[in-house]
Amino acid sequence: MGQVTVYSGVERRRRWSDEQKRALIDAAFAPDAIVAEVARAADVRPSQIYRWRRDLYGTGHAGAGFAPVVVSADARDVAPASLPPPAMLVEIGGSVVRIAADAPAKLVTAVLRSLAR
């Protein structure tokens, strides 16, 4: 006859509420935050935080590093009065991108690369 070992105690698999997941996502993607450090503090893997973000918000979540976009039917339209005047206008393939002076360089690079494709 074989030996059977029964482990008793707290179940390892934890259940996280949507509020807890959102709090961790917000902390992980706050400015200057490091996802791995937030994950380590919560005793989860960084990939779990990315999965929660995708599951809760989809791929286009504003907290994921996306900026608001104003789309106009005519590239010659004037920007809405609520927006600051652009520091630079870039036209690529019929699309016009208005870039604010305080826009992060990485965001500008990503947008221009996506339009150039």
Side-chain angles (χ1 to χ4, degrees):
M1 182 167 163
Q3 181 179 358
V4 175
T5 305
V6 177
Y7 294 102
S8 62
V10 180
E11 180 184 348
R12 181 64 183 142
R13 174 171 257 176
R14 291 171 288 176
R15 304 287 180 202
W16 296 84
S17 69
D18 285 348
E19 291 95 24
Q20 291 171 317
K21 292 176 184 179
R22 284 187 183 98
L24 281 172
I25 291 167
D26 291 342
F29 296 100
D32 299 325
I34 298 173
V35 176
E37 289 179 2
V38 173
R40 190 176 314 116
D43 196 26
V44 297
R45 300 272 183 204
S47 62
Q48 187 65 56
I49 293 178
Y50 288 107
R51 178 182 210 87
W52 287 342
R53 180 180 66 173
R54 187 182 67 234
D55 291 347
L56 290 173
Y57 299 114
T59 57
H61 174 52
F66 291 92
V69 175
V70 177
V71 178
S72 117
D74 186 356
R76 294 169 298 205
D77 286 348
V78 177
S82 62
L83 295 176
M88 184 183 329
L89 289 173
V90 179
E91 187 170 349
I92 298 177
S95 298
V96 175
V97 179
R98 292 176 173 91
I99 302 172
D102 60 347
K106 287 183 179 181
L107 177 62
V108 173
T109 303
V111 169
L112 295 178
R113 281 188 180 153
S114 69
L115 288 174
R117 291 181 186 169

